[in-house]
Amino acid sequence: MRIAPISRNYGRGTHPDMVGFRVDVHPVDATERAATRAVLRAHALPQLHEWIRRAMAADETWQSTAHQRHWRLTDGHLTHRDEA
């Protein structure tokens, strides 16, 4: 998630000038962790790196809006979707 500088966040402890990225990882069953870790390292991390690189180079309009990218691993297949 890219956090844009918006004043409505300030009441929740986020200063309006604060910008950055946040990564949330949901729990994975112990029996699936090794396989999940391998897929995330091989595919999701390079995609995340590219997404952050593009976000940092984006124009001011894009950067002033919060954006999210969600990855989902189902049956060994990684998909993602974007939200703005």
Side-chain angles (χ1 to χ4, degrees), residues 64-80:
S64 65
T65 306
H67 296 270
Q68 295 182 21
R69 174 166 278 188
H70 303 271
W71 281 271
R72 183 175 187 91
L73 182 63
T74 306
D75 298 326
H77 183 70
L78 185 68
T79 59
H80 72 269

Side-chain angles (χ1 to χ4, degrees), residues 2 21 40-58 62 69 71 80 82:
R2 183 185 186 293
F21 297 91
L40 293 178
R41 281 186 177 154
H43 301 286
L45 284 179
Q47 290 176 20
L48 176 61
H49 178 267
E50 180 62 17
W51 191 81
I52 290 173
R53 188 191 67 72
R54 287 183 182 179
M56 291 172 59
W62 193 93
R69 174 166 278 188
W71 281 271
H80 72 269
D82 293 331

Side-chain angles (χ1 to χ4, degrees), residues 3-77:
I3 303 169
I6 49 179
S7 60
R8 67 178 168 84
N9 286 341
Y10 193 64
R12 288 184 257 152
T14 305
H15 192 276
D17 291 336
M18 198 263 334
V19 295
F21 297 91
R22 187 181 88 202
V23 175
D24 297 322
V25 179
H26 296 273
V28 176
D29 289 337
T31 58
E32 299 175 8
R33 281 190 196 132
T36 299
R37 186 179 301 114
V39 171
L40 293 178
R41 281 186 177 154
H43 301 286
L45 284 179
Q47 290 176 20
L48 176 61
H49 178 267
E50 180 62 17
W51 191 81
I52 290 173
R53 188 191 67 72
R54 287 183 182 179
M56 291 172 59
D59 63 25
E60 185 178 347
T61 301
W62 193 93
Q63 288 191 13
S64 65
T65 306
H67 296 270
Q68 295 182 21
R69 174 166 278 188
H70 303 271
W71 281 271
R72 183 175 187 91
L73 182 63
T74 306
D75 298 326
H77 183 70

